[in-house]
Amino acid sequence: MRLRLSILSVSLALGACASPPATPSLEGTSWRLTSFQSSDDGAKPLQPAAPEAFTLSFGKDGRLAAKLDCNRGTGPWQAVAADATGGTLNLGPVATTRAMCPPDAIGARLLADLTALRTWRLEGNRLHTSLPADAGVYVWERITP
């Protein structure tokens, strides 16, 4: 009986010492767009012709820097972690340049959707940013410095 109590005590103590999962953060990270998946049934994912032309950088100062094809944008950002993989997202308002970029199906859509993104989720080196009402998900790949 004492052995069982000792094992139980050690197990409880080790459990209490275990550190909680790290809270994820977007602060200081940069991402390159890989695709957009609409929630429309049968819609194929949209992929940018040049992924490096679409990037988001989440500054440690709460400022977002966006590369949107041939345009640039900047504005405030806030991401609040809800669990160990993601949470809510608020971008903007984002001030952007308005150059006439070559046609790219995903470029015009991203420019219109950027400030509507509401949630984020990390999966390895991928960032998933979602529109409200399951309207679609933008998938980004981490840019390593």
Side-chain angles (χ1 to χ4, degrees), residues 22-40:
T23 302
S25 174
L26 297 178
E27 187 176 289
T29 63
S30 295
W31 306 87
R32 171 185 315 114
L33 184 63
T34 62
S35 66
F36 171 76
Q37 178 62 58
S38 172
S39 61
D40 293 339

PDB file of all heavy atoms in Angstrom, residues 22-40:
ATOM      1  N   ALA A  22       3.369  25.595 -24.582  1.00  0.00           N
ATOM      2  CA  ALA A  22       3.747  26.962 -24.925  1.00  0.00           C
ATOM      3  C   ALA A  22       2.595  27.662 -25.649  1.00  0.00           C
ATOM      4  O   ALA A  22       1.914  27.058 -26.463  1.00  0.00           O
ATOM      5  CB  ALA A  22       4.980  26.942 -25.817  1.00  0.00           C
ATOM      6  N   THR A  23       2.391  28.917 -25.319  1.00  0.00           N
ATOM      7  CA  THR A  23       1.363  29.708 -25.987  1.00  0.00           C
ATOM      8  C   THR A  23       1.923  30.155 -27.329  1.00  0.00           C
ATOM      9  O   THR A  23       2.973  30.797 -27.387  1.00  0.00           O
ATOM     10  CB  THR A  23       0.985  30.935 -25.133  1.00  0.00           C
ATOM     11  OG1 THR A  23       0.544  30.482 -23.859  1.00  0.00           O
ATOM     12  CG2 THR A  23      -0.097  31.750 -25.807  1.00  0.00           C
ATOM     13  N   PRO A  24       1.244  29.814 -28.419  1.00  0.00           N
ATOM     14  CA  PRO A  24       1.770  30.190 -29.725  1.00  0.00           C
ATOM     15  C   PRO A  24       1.650  31.698 -29.954  1.00  0.00           C
ATOM     16  O   PRO A  24       0.788  32.362 -29.371  1.00  0.00           O
ATOM     17  CB  PRO A  24       0.870  29.424 -30.698  1.00  0.00           C
ATOM     18  CG  PRO A  24      -0.413  29.255 -29.964  1.00  0.00           C
ATOM     19  CD  PRO A  24      -0.026  29.119 -28.509  1.00  0.00           C
ATOM     20  N   SER A  25       2.512  32.209 -30.784  1.00  0.00           N
ATOM     21  CA  SER A  25       2.496  33.637 -31.093  1.00  0.00           C
ATOM     22  C   SER A  25       2.908  33.832 -32.550  1.00  0.00           C
ATOM     23  O   SER A  25       3.734  33.092 -33.074  1.00  0.00           O
ATOM     24  CB  SER A  25       3.464  34.382 -30.183  1.00  0.00           C
ATOM     25  OG  SER A  25       3.562  35.733 -30.572  1.00  0.00           O
ATOM     26  N   LEU A  26       2.343  34.837 -33.165  1.00  0.00           N
ATOM     27  CA  LEU A  26       2.743  35.204 -34.525  1.00  0.00           C
ATOM     28  C   LEU A  26       3.788  36.314 -34.513  1.00  0.00           C
ATOM     29  O   LEU A  26       4.381  36.624 -35.546  1.00  0.00           O
ATOM     30  CB  LEU A  26       1.516  35.663 -35.327  1.00  0.00           C
ATOM     31  CG  LEU A  26       0.438  34.607 -35.542  1.00  0.00           C
ATOM     32  CD1 LEU A  26      -0.745  35.197 -36.312  1.00  0.00           C
ATOM     33  CD2 LEU A  26       1.002  33.399 -36.268  1.00  0.00           C
ATOM     34  N   GLU A  27       4.021  36.878 -33.357  1.00  0.00           N
ATOM     35  CA  GLU A  27       4.940  38.001 -33.208  1.00  0.00           C
ATOM     36  C   GLU A  27       6.317  37.666 -33.767  1.00  0.00           C
ATOM     37  O   GLU A  27       6.925  36.654 -33.427  1.00  0.00           O
ATOM     38  CB  GLU A  27       5.061  38.358 -31.730  1.00  0.00           C
ATOM     39  CG  GLU A  27       5.853  39.598 -31.454  1.00  0.00           C
ATOM     40  CD  GLU A  27       5.852  39.938 -29.985  1.00  0.00           C
ATOM     41  OE1 GLU A  27       4.793  40.364 -29.480  1.00  0.00           O
ATOM     42  OE2 GLU A  27       6.910  39.761 -29.344  1.00  0.00           O
ATOM     43  N   GLY A  28       6.816  38.542 -34.649  1.00  0.00           N
ATOM     44  CA  GLY A  28       8.156  38.380 -35.204  1.00  0.00           C
ATOM     45  C   GLY A  28       8.258  37.317 -36.286  1.00  0.00           C
ATOM     46  O   GLY A  28       9.365  36.928 -36.651  1.00  0.00           O
ATOM     47  N   THR A  29       7.130  36.853 -36.834  1.00  0.00           N
ATOM     48  CA  THR A  29       7.169  35.815 -37.869  1.00  0.00           C
ATOM     49  C   THR A  29       6.774  36.392 -39.226  1.00  0.00           C
ATOM     50  O   THR A  29       6.088  37.400 -39.315  1.00  0.00           O
ATOM     51  CB  THR A  29       6.232  34.635 -37.533  1.00  0.00           C
ATOM     52  OG1 THR A  29       4.869  35.098 -37.499  1.00  0.00           O
ATOM     53  CG2 THR A  29       6.600  34.001 -36.205  1.00  0.00           C
ATOM     54  N   SER A  30       7.222  35.714 -40.285  1.00  0.00           N
ATOM     55  CA  SER A  30       6.882  36.094 -41.657  1.00  0.00           C
ATOM     56  C   SER A  30       6.421  34.860 -42.409  1.00  0.00           C
ATOM     57  O   SER A  30       6.915  33.749 -42.170  1.00  0.00           O
ATOM     58  CB  SER A  30       8.094  36.694 -42.377  1.00  0.00           C
ATOM     59  OG  SER A  30       8.471  37.911 -41.768  1.00  0.00           O
ATOM     60  N   TRP A  31       5.481  35.070 -43.349  1.00  0.00           N
ATOM     61  CA  TRP A  31       4.814  33.970 -44.043  1.00  0.00           C
ATOM     62  C   TRP A  31       4.649  34.272 -45.522  1.00  0.00           C
ATOM     63  O   TRP A  31       4.416  35.403 -45.911  1.00  0.00           O
ATOM     64  CB  TRP A  31       3.444  33.728 -43.414  1.00  0.00           C
ATOM     65  CG  TRP A  31       3.542  33.517 -41.937  1.00  0.00           C
ATOM     66  CD1 TRP A  31       3.545  34.481 -40.961  1.00  0.00           C
ATOM     67  CD2 TRP A  31       3.700  32.278 -41.267  1.00  0.00           C
ATOM     68  NE1 TRP A  31       3.687  33.892 -39.728  1.00  0.00           N
ATOM     69  CE2 TRP A  31       3.778  32.537 -39.880  1.00  0.00           C
ATOM     70  CE3 TRP A  31       3.775  30.957 -41.701  1.00  0.00           C
ATOM     71  CZ2 TRP A  31       3.933  31.541 -38.939  1.00  0.00           C
ATOM     72  CZ3 TRP A  31       3.918  29.960 -40.753  1.00  0.00           C
ATOM     73  CH2 TRP A  31       3.997  30.251 -39.398  1.00  0.00           C
ATOM     74  N   ARG A  32       4.726  33.222 -46.330  1.00  0.00           N
ATOM     75  CA  ARG A  32       4.546  33.290 -47.783  1.00  0.00           C
ATOM     76  C   ARG A  32       3.272  32.503 -48.123  1.00  0.00           C
ATOM     77  O   ARG A  32       3.078  31.386 -47.655  1.00  0.00           O
ATOM     78  CB  ARG A  32       5.759  32.638 -48.443  1.00  0.00           C
ATOM     79  CG  ARG A  32       5.705  32.404 -49.900  1.00  0.00           C
ATOM     80  CD  ARG A  32       6.955  31.636 -50.402  1.00  0.00           C
ATOM     81  NE  ARG A  32       8.203  32.152 -49.862  1.00  0.00           N
ATOM     82  CZ  ARG A  32       9.009  31.480 -49.024  1.00  0.00           C
ATOM     83  NH1 ARG A  32       8.735  30.264 -48.628  1.00  0.00           N
ATOM     84  NH2 ARG A  32      10.117  32.037 -48.582  1.00  0.00           N
ATOM     85  N   LEU A  33       2.424  33.074 -48.959  1.00  0.00           N
ATOM     86  CA  LEU A  33       1.155  32.440 -49.317  1.00  0.00           C
ATOM     87  C   LEU A  33       1.373  31.216 -50.199  1.00  0.00           C
ATOM     88  O   LEU A  33       2.111  31.284 -51.185  1.00  0.00           O
ATOM     89  CB  LEU A  33       0.258  33.449 -50.042  1.00  0.00           C
ATOM     90  CG  LEU A  33      -1.136  32.968 -50.408  1.00  0.00           C
ATOM     91  CD1 LEU A  33      -1.953  32.626 -49.156  1.00  0.00           C
ATOM     92  CD2 LEU A  33      -1.848  34.021 -51.230  1.00  0.00           C
ATOM     93  N   THR A  34       0.725  30.114 -49.836  1.00  0.00           N
ATOM     94  CA  THR A  34       0.811  28.915 -50.673  1.00  0.00           C
ATOM     95  C   THR A  34      -0.508  28.611 -51.378  1.00  0.00           C
ATOM     96  O   THR A  34      -0.490  28.104 -52.493  1.00  0.00           O
ATOM     97  CB  THR A  34       1.247  27.676 -49.871  1.00  0.00           C
ATOM     98  OG1 THR A  34       0.280  27.402 -48.858  1.00  0.00           O
ATOM     99  CG2 THR A  34       2.615  27.871 -49.260  1.00  0.00           C
ATOM    100  N   SER A  35      -1.653  28.908 -50.729  1.00  0.00           N
ATOM    101  CA  SER A  35      -2.927  28.612 -51.384  1.00  0.00           C
ATOM    102  C   SER A  35      -4.101  29.260 -50.660  1.00  0.00           C
ATOM    103  O   SER A  35      -3.976  29.706 -49.518  1.00  0.00           O
ATOM    104  CB  SER A  35      -3.164  27.094 -51.437  1.00  0.00           C
ATOM    105  OG  SER A  35      -3.326  26.571 -50.131  1.00  0.00           O
ATOM    106  N   PHE A  36      -5.219  29.294 -51.358  1.00  0.00           N
ATOM    107  CA  PHE A  36      -6.502  29.691 -50.776  1.00  0.00           C
ATOM    108  C   PHE A  36      -7.494  28.597 -51.128  1.00  0.00           C
ATOM    109  O   PHE A  36      -7.624  28.215 -52.295  1.00  0.00           O
ATOM    110  CB  PHE A  36      -6.999  31.027 -51.326  1.00  0.00           C
ATOM    111  CG  PHE A  36      -8.416  31.327 -50.885  1.00  0.00           C
ATOM    112  CD1 PHE A  36      -8.668  31.746 -49.593  1.00  0.00           C
ATOM    113  CD2 PHE A  36      -9.481  31.157 -51.750  1.00  0.00           C
ATOM    114  CE1 PHE A  36      -9.968  31.990 -49.168  1.00  0.00           C
ATOM    115  CE2 PHE A  36     -10.776  31.409 -51.340  1.00  0.00           C
ATOM    116  CZ  PHE A  36     -11.025  31.826 -50.047  1.00  0.00           C
ATOM    117  N   GLN A  37      -8.195  28.098 -50.111  1.00  0.00           N
ATOM    118  CA  GLN A  37      -9.219  27.079 -50.331  1.00  0.00           C
ATOM    119  C   GLN A  37     -10.572  27.660 -49.950  1.00  0.00           C
ATOM    120  O   GLN A  37     -10.815  27.941 -48.781  1.00  0.00           O
ATOM    121  CB  GLN A  37      -8.943  25.815 -49.508  1.00  0.00           C
ATOM    122  CG  GLN A  37     -10.007  24.752 -49.676  1.00  0.00           C
ATOM    123  CD  GLN A  37     -10.117  24.234 -51.114  1.00  0.00           C
ATOM    124  OE1 GLN A  37      -9.143  23.742 -51.669  1.00  0.00           O
ATOM    125  NE2 GLN A  37     -11.285  24.354 -51.702  1.00  0.00           N
ATOM    126  N   SER A  38     -11.419  27.851 -50.948  1.00  0.00           N
ATOM    127  CA  SER A  38     -12.772  28.323 -50.708  1.00  0.00           C
ATOM    128  C   SER A  38     -13.587  27.176 -50.124  1.00  0.00           C
ATOM    129  O   SER A  38     -13.296  26.004 -50.368  1.00  0.00           O
ATOM    130  CB  SER A  38     -13.399  28.786 -52.027  1.00  0.00           C
ATOM    131  OG  SER A  38     -14.760  29.074 -51.840  1.00  0.00           O
ATOM    132  N   SER A  39     -14.606  27.509 -49.368  1.00  0.00           N
ATOM    133  CA  SER A  39     -15.468  26.465 -48.820  1.00  0.00           C
ATOM    134  C   SER A  39     -16.548  26.051 -49.810  1.00  0.00           C
ATOM    135  O   SER A  39     -17.341  25.161 -49.523  1.00  0.00           O
ATOM    136  CB  SER A  39     -16.103  26.934 -47.507  1.00  0.00           C
ATOM    137  OG  SER A  39     -16.896  28.076 -47.757  1.00  0.00           O
ATOM    138  N   ASP A  40     -16.577  26.688 -50.994  1.00  0.00           N
ATOM    139  CA  ASP A  40     -17.540  26.292 -52.022  1.00  0.00           C
ATOM    140  C   ASP A  40     -17.278  24.854 -52.425  1.00  0.00           C
ATOM    141  O   ASP A  40     -16.134  24.466 -52.696  1.00  0.00           O
ATOM    142  CB  ASP A  40     -17.418  27.188 -53.264  1.00  0.00           C
ATOM    143  CG  ASP A  40     -17.829  28.618 -52.989  1.00  0.00           C
ATOM    144  OD1 ASP A  40     -18.556  28.843 -52.001  1.00  0.00           O
ATOM    145  OD2 ASP A  40     -17.418  29.506 -53.754  1.00  0.00           O
TER     146      ASP A  40
END
